[in-house]
Amino acid sequence: MDAHSNVEMEIVEPSFQQSRKQAGRALPWKWIGVVALILLAGAAGAVRLVIDRAEPILRTRVVETLSNRFHSNVELAGFHVSLVNGIQVSGEGLKIFGATDPNPYEPGVQALIGVQEFRFQTALLTLFRSPMHVGIVYLKGLELNIPPKENRREMTNMGSRASKMTIFVDQFICEDAKLVINTSKAGKPPLEFAIGDLKMKDVGPGQPFRFSATLVNPKPVGEIQSNGLFGPWQQGSPRETPVQGEYSFTNADLSTIKGIGGMLSSTGEYSGTLSDIAVHGKTDTPDFRVATSGHPVPLHTEFHAVVDGTSGDTYLRPVHASFLHSSFTANGSVVRLSTRSGHDIELDVAMDDARIEDLLKLGVHTDPPIMSGPIEMKTRLSLVPGAASVADRLMLAGTFRVLSAHFTNEKVQGRLDSLSLRSQGKPNPSKSHVEEEDVPADLQGVFTLKYGLLSFSSLHFIIPGTHVDMTGDYSLDGQRFDFHGKARLDAKISQMTSGWKSILLKPVDPFFSKDGAGTEIPIRVTGTESEPHFGLDFGHKDEPADIGKNKDTESKRE
């Protein structure tokens, strides 16, 4: 019994001791697990604490930086922080207000600067540094609301005093930005520029920043790509802030301007200050056309312009243009009107190397052009803003001279050839002589163009043996031809015919011979460009004040 008990004790005792040893070895791992769980919980709490503290810290820094920079009231509707990969910050409804409302005619108080959405990312350690450094800030829906000119002094004061910046940003990338220039005139809409994409680098006080922008041009519709340098901002005189860069304007659809058409491309460079930007550039429009003719012609220009960036006014000094076999030079201005929307274009145009057939092809529907020959012209061009076609808004006033012109219409040229021979006292020229005769015509005159109607207050027409002075109208669509005047011929009436008719007409020669001319008679040219009618005009009464006026048309249009 005792022996059995001893054996049993010997068997049980080693097993118990082994279990105690195994439990002793497992105990440290349990404590490590417990500690790990505590540390993990503590880390989670710390992260939560950092997030809870990061949001108010960063929100305060953003608002404080903007308030100090612009010395203005700042509103921030939403602000969010995430620590998934460093510090990720996003927000919405950012507004920076000025001392006054830039557009009091809109409901509510308008912010000078508004941002629909923004976001940026930075390292966690930068949260505890001051100033804080951010590489890129992404903006969407940036709107710059510029006050009327008389209230822009407040923008001069924004940022004019030294302030401690708590956040520095290397680059801004903006999507769907908009520049709005307001006016103090009630009912007049502000001037708006849509900027599709805008990138700004090296933004900081006292130095220029680099920019790259895509602007949406309203008329003609197209995108302008531009990059360059802006600044540093001249706080005492914003108009003197430097700017320089280059641009490209491609695939601009001119048909968005009523009355003209074609696809325009332009490149150039600019430099100067906001109030005095010098622009050098060129344009190419391979298919430029005017609606009144519909004939496409290649148009190329090279220009130098001075632009006032604070008002949008542009002064062209000069523009050199060429199309087909013609060229011209223009100087003038494109000025935004204060009484209504749009720009008033005023140009002085000089043509010293041009062809009349090129001008007619560009502006007149009839094809081929009725006349060919070199032309010299000087004119004042005015194009007022409005929704009407360019042809109805275009006004010209000037002088011209065409040397050695020929008419492409055989009927017209034949009449002139016959008239030239008869007026030289050759009533019965040989057939071969008539066929070989192709007399040149010289024209010069004073003209105006208004509402698509070309009016001549003076038109001097010369062919060998004949001098004609006329006044009248010519519509650009070729459907109106109405001229009246006097023809002075070298030959007497009796000399322009032969046989018994010549003998019978000799007694009346003295009645038509005036001021040294063999014959002076009243004439008219009426009809259309394709079917002109020539004839004597003994019944016409001169009405200088009304010559060339289409009273019904003009009264309706005015």
Side-chain angles (χ1 to χ4, degrees):
M1 183 71 172
D2 294 335
H4 180 73
S5 299
N6 290 336
V7 173
E8 216 174 45
M9 288 294 292
E10 290 177 0
I11 295 174
V12 174
E13 185 176 1
S15 178
F16 177 73
Q17 290 176 350
Q18 186 176 0
S19 298
R20 291 183 63 185
K21 289 179 180 179
Q22 290 176 350
R25 287 195 299 267
L27 186 60
W29 294 105
K30 292 180 180 179
W31 281 108
I32 291 173
V34 171
V35 171
L37 289 173
I38 293 174
L39 290 176
L40 185 59
V47 170
R48 183 68 231 177
L49 179 63
V50 170
I51 293 176
D52 291 341
R53 295 191 60 191
E55 281 199 9
I57 290 174
L58 286 176
R59 183 187 181 98
T60 300
R61 285 191 177 181
V62 169
V63 174
E64 183 182 72
T65 297
L66 295 173
S67 296
N68 289 339
R69 180 67 181 87
F70 296 103
H71 301 284
S72 302
N73 180 34
V74 176
E75 290 184 3
L76 185 55
F79 192 82
H80 319 284
V81 176
S82 171
L83 299 182
V84 174
N85 186 12
I87 300 178
Q88 297 188 22
V89 178
S90 62
E92 60 274 345
L94 175 63
K95 294 183 179 181
I96 302 172
F97 295 88
T100 60
D101 188 350
N103 189 350
Y105 306 108
E106 289 291 326
V109 178
Q110 310 301 309
L112 291 179
I113 303 174
V115 178
Q116 294 177 4
E117 301 175 13
F118 66 89
R119 59 185 173 88
F120 63 86
Q121 181 178 350
T122 187
L124 181 60
L125 291 178
T126 60
L127 179 64
F128 306 102
R129 297 173 182 172
S130 185
M132 182 178 178
H133 181 268
V134 176
I136 303 176
V137 173
Y138 297 90
L139 306 175
K140 184 176 182 180
L142 171 66
E143 181 172 321
L144 303 177
N145 219 344
I146 308 300
K149 184 179 296 185
E150 53 270 24
N151 295 337
R152 291 177 193 168
R153 182 172 298 178
E154 65 178 82
M155 297 194 71
T156 304
N157 298 327
M158 295 174 73
S160 61
R161 301 187 298 272
S163 61
K164 182 179 180 181
M165 302 288 288
T166 57
I167 300 178
F168 280 115
V169 179
D170 291 335
Q171 183 178 4
F172 288 91
I173 298 180
C174 307
E175 177 186 354
D176 296 332
K178 182 168 67 172
L179 174 64
V180 181
I181 300 178
N182 292 282
T183 175
S184 59
K185 296 186 179 296
K188 183 177 181 181
L191 184 63
E192 296 187 4
F193 297 93
I195 306 174
D197 297 291
L198 173 64
K199 298 179 181 179
M200 297 177 287
K201 295 179 62 176
D202 304 327
V203 180
Q207 66 181 17
F209 66 80
R210 297 184 179 275
F211 70 88
S212 175
T214 301
L215 290 80
V216 180
N217 193 69
K219 283 190 178 183
V221 172
E223 288 189 350
I224 302 174
Q225 304 285 339
S226 181
N227 58 79
L229 293 172
F230 182 86
W233 182 258
Q234 301 300 302
Q235 299 169 354
S237 180
R239 294 170 60 88
E240 302 304 316
T241 300
V243 60
Q244 68 178 71
E246 57 187 17
Y247 78 91
S248 64
F249 187 22
T250 56
N251 298 322
D253 188 358
L254 295 180
S255 65
T256 55
I257 302 175
K258 189 176 181 180
I260 62 175
M263 298 301 291
L264 175 145
S265 297
S266 178
T267 58
E269 56 186 24
Y270 53 89
S271 62
T273 63
L274 275 180
S275 63
D276 191 21
I277 305 174
V279 184
H280 301 271
K282 61 182 181 180
T283 71
D284 282 290
T285 311
D287 56 347
F288 180 77
R289 59 189 179 276
V290 178
T292 52
S293 70
H295 302 143
V297 301
L299 175 64
H300 173 78
T301 72
E302 295 183 6
F303 64 89
H304 172 74
V306 177
V307 180
D308 185 344
T310 64
S311 64
D313 295 343
T314 301
Y315 302 90
L316 302 169
R317 302 170 180 170
V319 177
H320 299 288
S322 61
F323 66 100
L324 298 177
H325 304 94
S326 301
S327 62
F328 62 90
T329 301
N331 292 271
S333 61
V334 182
V335 178
R336 186 170 185 255
L337 298 178
S338 58
T339 56
R340 52 179 169 166
S341 60
H343 291 75
D344 186 23
I345 301 175
E346 296 282 345
L347 299 176
D348 290 313
V349 181
M351 288 187 171
D352 298 320
D353 183 17
R355 304 282 303 179
I356 183 64
E357 63 266 31
D358 292 347
L359 291 178
L360 293 173
K361 185 176 181 65
L362 179 63
V364 178
H365 178 72
T366 304
D367 192 31
I370 191 174
M371 186 184 299
S372 65
I375 182 174
E376 299 175 356
M377 182 170 66
K378 296 184 184 299
T379 183
R380 179 73 170 177
L381 182 153
S382 299
L383 184 63
V384 297
S389 170
V390 168
D392 289 331
R393 292 186 287 118
L394 179 66
M395 292 182 287
L396 299 175
T399 61
F400 77 97
R401 184 180 183 186
V402 182
L403 301 175
S404 301
H406 291 269
F407 287 86
T408 57
N409 186 305
E410 293 183 0
K411 182 177 181 180
V412 175
Q413 187 65 47
R415 290 285 186 91
L416 291 178
D417 295 344
S418 177
L419 174 62
S420 177
L421 292 173
R422 290 178 178 276
S423 64
Q424 295 177 72
K426 304 173 183 178
N428 296 311
S430 65
K431 184 177 180 181
S432 61
H433 192 183
V434 172
E435 290 177 349
E436 292 176 359
E437 188 76 13
D438 187 8
V439 299
D442 291 350
L443 295 90
Q444 60 183 2
V446 180
F447 69 92
T448 60
L449 173 65
K450 191 174 183 180
Y451 303 135
L453 191 66
L454 193 58
S455 299
F456 296 87
S457 60
S458 171
L459 181 60
H460 193 52
F461 178 81
I462 302 174
I463 59 174
T466 302
H467 291 219
V468 179
D469 289 293
M470 307 183 77
T471 60
D473 296 337
Y474 169 58
S475 63
L476 296 185
D477 60 7
Q479 298 305 306
R480 177 178 171 82
F481 220 131
D482 187 15
F483 289 89
H484 301 268
K486 294 179 180 180
R488 293 169 56 84
L489 315 177
D490 291 349
K492 298 181 183 296
I493 287 183
S494 61
Q495 296 173 334
M496 289 187 286
T497 186
S498 59
W500 62 271
K501 291 182 180 179
S502 176
I503 297 173
L504 291 177
L505 289 173
K506 280 185 179 291
V508 301
D509 282 344
F511 295 99
F512 294 96
S513 297
K514 298 180 181 179
D515 301 325
T519 302
E520 181 180 285
I521 53 175
I523 62 171
R524 69 175 184 272
V525 182
T526 58
T528 66
E529 193 172 58
S530 58
E531 289 292 332
H533 302 289
F534 300 85
L536 297 178
D537 196 27
F538 289 107
H540 180 76
K541 295 182 180 180
D542 290 337
E543 299 178 18
D546 295 329
I547 288 178
K549 301 288 185 179
N550 185 341
K551 294 181 181 180
D552 294 337
T553 301
E554 193 160 318
S555 62
K556 289 179 181 178
R557 299 200 184 196
E558 291 183 351

